Amino acid sequence: MPKLKNKPPKYAKLKNYAVVYFQGKTHYLGLYGSPESKTAYARFVAESRVDPIFAPPQEGEKITVADLVAAFLSHVKPTLDASTFGHYRTLIADFLLKLYGNDTAVDDFKPRCLKLVRSEMIESKRFCRDSINKYTRRIVNIFGWGVSEELVQPNTELALKAVKPLPKGYPGTYDNPEREEVADEIVRRTLPFMPLTLAAMVQVQRLTGMRPSEVCKMRVGDIDMKRVPELWYYVPESHKTEEHIGKKAIPLSKFEQALIAPYLVGKKSDAAVFSPRTAMEERNAERRASRKTKISPSQAARNAARAKKTTPRYAEFYNKHTYRKGIEYAIAKGNKTLPEAEKIPHWFPYQIRHAAGTAAETMSGGGLDKAQALLGHKTANVTKRYAHGQLAIAEEMARSRANPFENPPKTPSE
């Protein structure tokens, strides 16, 4: 059975010698603890990383579906965010391995097996049709990765790719309703219950029509302040349509500049503009200011212990999930104090983008061209066709932009 773990071998001791145990063999490096043995170990680890650890199976050995997915998860874990990795774990544990695990060889996983896994997802009622199609593609991608590592025969992947996506109206499936924009008034009523960092993010996204991921990953070094006198430009490191139009530049008007400027001070170029760490500092400061009792000695001790820790408690950047959770928390916080008639309805970040597109299309002198320039196009052909004109339209809109949130309401306590 081949070793399926992407993990460097250990520096071990055998009598007086330093050794490495690798793929069933013992490799001697020299006297244990000597500089020469440590140099040899570093060279061995480097070479083992160049040569695939996922050795192809020998004749007569069987790679199971469980072996394949374990190797795949080990491979992708360092490169995937926690949420996406969690989706893979859920898909694999709850559906794929539940039906086909240690007893099924990878090349015995046929299209009918994939369809059966998909049927389990349909019957669970946990996912809409689009999500089921996406998860089915992810299973095929796992087998495609296995082909690249010589763990799966190419014909196996080709056969799985022949399984067509579920069409709309497929029996037992459902589709989520179309996304609708959130009214500016609802957003305006939510802002007072957010930390200042999160409130600034929401307003910048609404004014520019960015995707949630774009506002989340904004870095200090991505802000260009010198291109023209009136405007700043946010140039994302990467974006969804980069392969079609190249680098994207988002013009920032005086309103966005005012919101962003306080979060640029004293930061390095690779630091997040809007950071969960800053938001939690703001939230904790608000709690301390409104505290009516003295801090207990035990709480003070816990605070001191946390202050000594070098590992940050919160991530440097928001992601689309923590961004959404922050908004949900603010809505719940507001609804605890608001009367029943004034409760804030649920909304989420992508609805802000839709609101920006609707406002651009319906504004005086607007139209579909302005909405497309603000949001970007859905197809590569349209994006290619209008890429050069988009920036000019977006610049014109930034210069004439109005801010719907200039006077957000105060919280009931104020």
Side-chain angles (χ1 to χ4, degrees), residues 80-245:
L80 293 181
D81 61 78
S83 176
T84 304
F85 185 75
H87 283 303
Y88 269 109
R89 290 283 299 270
T90 299
L91 166 66
I92 288 167
D94 292 359
F95 297 100
L96 182 58
L97 295 188
K98 181 181 175 182
L99 296 174
Y100 303 98
N102 295 322
D103 298 330
T104 305
V106 289
D107 293 318
D108 291 337
F109 191 83
K110 305 297 184 182
R112 58 179 173 77
C113 304
L114 181 62
K115 289 179 181 179
L116 183 56
V117 173
R118 187 174 67 180
S119 295
E120 287 288 307
M121 286 189 271
I122 294 172
E123 291 179 12
S124 73
K125 301 295 183 183
R126 290 169 57 181
F127 314 111
C128 68
R129 181 181 59 87
D130 283 344
S131 293
I132 292 172
N133 285 334
K134 179 171 68 175
Y135 284 164
T136 304
R137 288 195 301 272
R138 284 180 173 176
I139 293 175
V140 177
N141 289 342
I142 292 172
F143 281 81
W145 175 84
V147 171
S148 71
E149 297 297 328
E150 300 182 23
L151 300 175
V152 179
Q153 293 298 320
N155 287 340
T156 300
E157 182 199 10
L158 288 174
L160 296 178
K161 283 184 174 180
V163 176
K164 302 298 182 184
L166 297 174
K168 191 168 185 178
Y170 189 88
T173 64
Y174 64 93
D175 289 280
N176 289 329
E178 290 283 336
R179 288 194 185 112
E180 296 181 357
E181 66 269 13
V182 58
D184 287 340
E185 177 58 23
I186 293 175
V187 177
R188 197 173 72 88
R189 287 167 49 205
T190 315
L191 293 177
F193 301 101
M194 296 179 179
L196 295 177
T197 297
L198 188 61
M201 285 180 71
V202 167
Q203 293 177 78
V204 168
Q205 189 193 356
R206 165 59 183 83
L207 290 164
T208 61
M210 293 184 203
R211 295 179 176 88
S213 59
E214 290 172 338
V215 73
C216 287
K217 65 185 181 183
M218 187 184 294
R219 303 177 305 172
V220 173
D222 296 333
I223 308 299
D224 182 357
M225 306 179 189
K226 300 178 180 179
R227 188 177 298 192
V228 297
E230 299 175 7
L231 301 175
W232 291 358
Y233 291 84
Y234 167 38
V235 185
E237 184 180 23
S238 62
H239 64 93
K240 189 174 181 179
T241 57
E242 184 172 355
E243 62 179 300
H244 306 298
I245 66 172

Side-chain angles (χ1 to χ4, degrees), residues 242-300:
E242 184 172 355
E243 62 179 300
H244 306 298
I245 66 172
K247 281 293 183 182
K248 179 179 182 179
I250 301 173
L252 304 173
S253 74
K254 60 181 180 181
F255 300 115
E256 296 94 90
Q257 294 171 28
L259 291 164
I260 291 171
Y263 298 99
L264 304 179
V265 179
K267 290 184 178 179
K268 296 180 180 179
S269 62
D270 60 348
V273 174
F274 302 117
S275 174
R277 297 174 190 172
T278 307
M280 291 310 301
E281 289 172 3
E282 293 166 349
R283 180 168 285 164
N284 291 336
E286 179 187 351
R287 288 172 176 169
R288 286 192 295 269
S290 60
R291 189 183 182 99
K292 297 180 180 178
T293 59
K294 292 184 178 180
I295 298 178
S296 65
S298 60
Q299 180 64 53

Side-chain angles (χ1 to χ4, degrees), residues 17-70:
Y17 294 96
V19 296
V20 166
Y21 299 105
F22 185 70
Q23 294 187 351
K25 296 182 180 180
T26 303
H27 301 264
Y28 286 84
L29 306 174
L31 291 176
Y32 185 80
S34 67
E36 293 81 9
S37 68
K38 293 181 179 179
T39 301
Y41 172 70
R43 182 171 60 251
F44 186 92
V45 170
E47 290 173 350
S48 69
R49 284 175 178 164
V50 172
D51 295 328
I53 292 178
F54 306 107
Q58 301 299 317
E59 186 176 351
E61 291 183 313
K62 182 177 80 170
I63 301 294
T64 66
V65 173
D67 294 329
L68 175 67
V69 298

